[in-house]
Amino acid sequence: MEYTTQMDAAKKGIVTKEMEIVAEKENIDVEILRKKIGEGKIVIPANKKHSSLIPEGIGEGLRTKINVNLGISRDCPDVDKELEKVKNAIDMNVEAIMDLSSFGKTEEFRRRLVEASSSMIGTVPVYDAVGFYDKELKDITSEEFLDVVRKHGEDGVDFVTIHAGMNRRTAEVFKKNNRITNIVSRGGSLLYAWMELNNKENPFYEYFDELLDICKKYDMTISLGDALRPGCIEDGTDGPQIEELIVLGELTKRAWRENVQVMIEGPGHIAINEIEANMLLEKKICHGAPFYVLGPIVTDIAPGYDHITSAIGGAIAASSGADFLCYVTPAEHLRLPDLDDMKEGIIASKIAAHVGDIAKGLSGAKEWDLEMSIARQELDWEKMFSLAIDEDKARRYRKESTPEHEDSCTMCGKMCSMRNMNRIMKGKDINILRNDD
């Protein structure tokens, strides 16, 4: 039996090879996976043309995944430098990479990225439109916006962020609310400006059916972008954000009717006490579709440390139902991240995702921590290193400060609680001051 997309196959009772791979990775029954894909609660972003992809599932009952943003810009146009980041990100086992390139040879970078990457690839086609056509934003036509999406599909992109929820009705709600940071989504601000300059409807909303046809052809997942996500704590969970979310829920059902897979993108800056409510709202209003969040960033005062503010929010979001975390680096709000920034952002997001998986009671999550606890009790340093989420850093720290006694570290020395409890529990003496073993 033929099928067009993973969702189409799932509805027809077909188990695809991608489903088999994901089910094995997640250690779940493939029929349960297939059913949830058919219901839209899980997606497998897998463009038919992305031959190097190792599929991943995102959604209910699966491990929380993370995404890394990369790409060239006018100020930092070095393709090879960005591809070095790509290699490192893949080596660190990230599940997804988004190409946010906005200048220069975007097509060259995108094609090389798709060819090299076993991870899912996402893009924001509206970023590419100005450079692709070499036109000012106002002069790009609706059909040209759609053609850029078509081009990304042809190039093998697995999911595309489309800011279709900010239609003219939503824009009016935005105008009536006095926001501190207005529209902070880059794609959202470009589309809002285009709508205002041309006095027209958002082309991705107006021609949503045509967009679905493109996505269906390549089996590209639509990540419905949050054009009106809050850009500061003060703007969090306001009218424009919720109005857009309602539209995204409507668009989700339209996409599902055409068997196009959907993710919903969520808030950026949210007070910590509002995160759980935001996760619940998305799942209810968008009918259980997988939720993809940026951060959330839980305070606005920490430039240079936003990987930490984001990890705090991401852990709470994941534990409350978010399925996919977009990493944030220490360079957020300051500059394009370098390789070290990227690595710190990845580790912070991985920690947040794992914390969420423990809270969700996901099979295998807590067992990892149990193994580490046993290794610590046994003072098995090699085992601790092998279990560490960042093995290289753990080894480096240990090496940089060598203890006098191998069964301790330089913080506690022979006062180490693990060392002394092990000795006492075995009926041995404790020798903190003596030099004997």
Side-chain angles (χ1 to χ4, degrees), residues 162-173 195 201-202 204-206 208 222 224-228 239-255 257 262-265 281-282 285-287:
I162 303 292
H163 299 91
M166 189 182 61
N167 55 19
R168 298 189 79 166
R169 184 182 82 203
T170 314
E172 285 304 311
V173 174
M195 292 163 67
E201 180 58 277
N202 179 345
F204 293 121
Y205 180 80
E206 185 173 5
F208 194 67
I222 293 183
L224 287 170
D226 50 343
L228 293 174
Q241 178 195 334
I242 303 306
E243 177 67 28
E244 182 182 35
L245 187 62
I246 292 169
V247 178
L248 297 186
E250 296 166 359
L251 294 175
T252 297
K253 284 195 168 181
R254 286 176 61 182
R257 284 196 291 269
V262 174
M263 296 186 290
I264 308 296
E265 296 189 13
L281 275 173
E282 185 279 337
I285 293 173
C286 295
H287 323 292

Side-chain angles (χ1 to χ4, degrees), residues 44 72 101 108 112 124 137 155 173 178 229 312 402-403 421:
I44 301 179
I72 55 175
S101 294
E108 176 195 340
R112 289 175 67 181
V124 187
L137 178 68
D155 288 345
V173 174
N178 294 320
R229 70 173 180 264
I312 294 167
T402 306
M421 284 304 300

Side-chain angles (χ1 to χ4, degrees), residues 14-43:
I14 300 169
V15 173
T16 67
K17 66 178 185 299
E18 290 83 6
M19 293 180 201
E20 290 174 344
I21 292 168
V22 170
E24 185 174 354
K25 279 185 178 183
E26 302 282 348
N27 193 30
I28 65 169
D29 184 273
V30 74
E31 281 300 319
I32 294 174
L33 178 70
R34 181 194 63 76
K35 183 174 182 291
K36 289 187 177 183
I37 292 170
E39 294 171 345
K41 293 178 180 177
I42 291 176
V43 298

Side-chain angles (χ1 to χ4, degrees), residues 212-233:
L212 294 178
D213 288 339
I214 295 168
C215 292
K216 191 159 46 175
K217 178 178 179 180
Y218 300 101
D219 196 3
M220 274 195 301
T221 297
I222 293 183
S223 187
L224 287 170
D226 50 343
L228 293 174
R229 70 173 180 264
C232 67
I233 300 301

Side-chain angles (χ1 to χ4, degrees), residues 60 113 130 133 155 160 204 227 269 273 284 308 411:
E60 186 178 279
L113 173 60
V130 174
Y133 293 112
D155 288 345
V160 281
F204 293 121
H269 294 239
N273 59 303
K284 294 286 282 187
I308 296 173
M411 175 176 282

Side-chain angles (χ1 to χ4, degrees), residues 13-171:
I14 300 169
V15 173
T16 67
K17 66 178 185 299
E18 290 83 6
M19 293 180 201
E20 290 174 344
I21 292 168
V22 170
E24 185 174 354
K25 279 185 178 183
E26 302 282 348
N27 193 30
I28 65 169
D29 184 273
V30 74
E31 281 300 319
I32 294 174
L33 178 70
R34 181 194 63 76
K35 183 174 182 291
K36 289 187 177 183
I37 292 170
E39 294 171 345
K41 293 178 180 177
I42 291 176
V43 298
I44 301 179
N47 188 309
K48 297 169 185 176
K49 290 181 170 286
H50 189 178
S51 58
S52 59
L53 176 70
I54 300 174
E56 293 282 357
I58 301 169
E60 186 178 279
L62 306 184
R63 286 181 299 104
T64 306
K65 307 305 188 298
I66 71 164
N67 170 72
V68 168
N69 290 337
L70 298 168
I72 55 175
S73 66
R74 179 179 289 275
D75 292 314
C76 302
D78 191 327
V79 170
D80 290 330
K81 186 173 286 188
E82 287 305 292
L83 286 169
E84 182 186 359
K85 291 183 194 173
V86 169
K87 182 181 182 304
N88 277 270
I90 293 170
D91 287 345
M92 293 179 74
N93 299 313
V94 302
E95 290 89 7
I97 296 171
M98 284 201 80
D99 173 16
L100 303 189
S101 294
S102 58
F103 174 77
K105 298 178 181 179
T106 58
E107 184 176 358
E108 176 195 340
F109 178 70
R110 184 169 60 252
R111 285 184 169 179
R112 289 175 67 181
L113 173 60
V114 171
E115 183 180 344
S117 179
S118 56
S119 302
M120 297 178 281
I121 300 300
T123 59
V124 187
V126 71
Y127 293 177
D128 196 23
V130 174
F132 186 78
Y133 293 112
D134 196 22
K135 283 184 177 183
E136 284 299 331
L137 178 68
K138 179 183 178 182
D139 300 324
I140 299 171
T141 67
S142 297
E143 183 57 35
E144 285 173 333
F145 277 122
L146 291 172
D147 282 342
V148 173
V149 179
R150 194 172 283 112
K151 179 62 181 166
H152 285 213
E154 181 66 30
D155 288 345
V157 170
D158 301 298
F159 64 97
V160 281
T161 291
I162 303 292
H163 299 91
M166 189 182 61
N167 55 19
R168 298 189 79 166
R169 184 182 82 203
T170 314

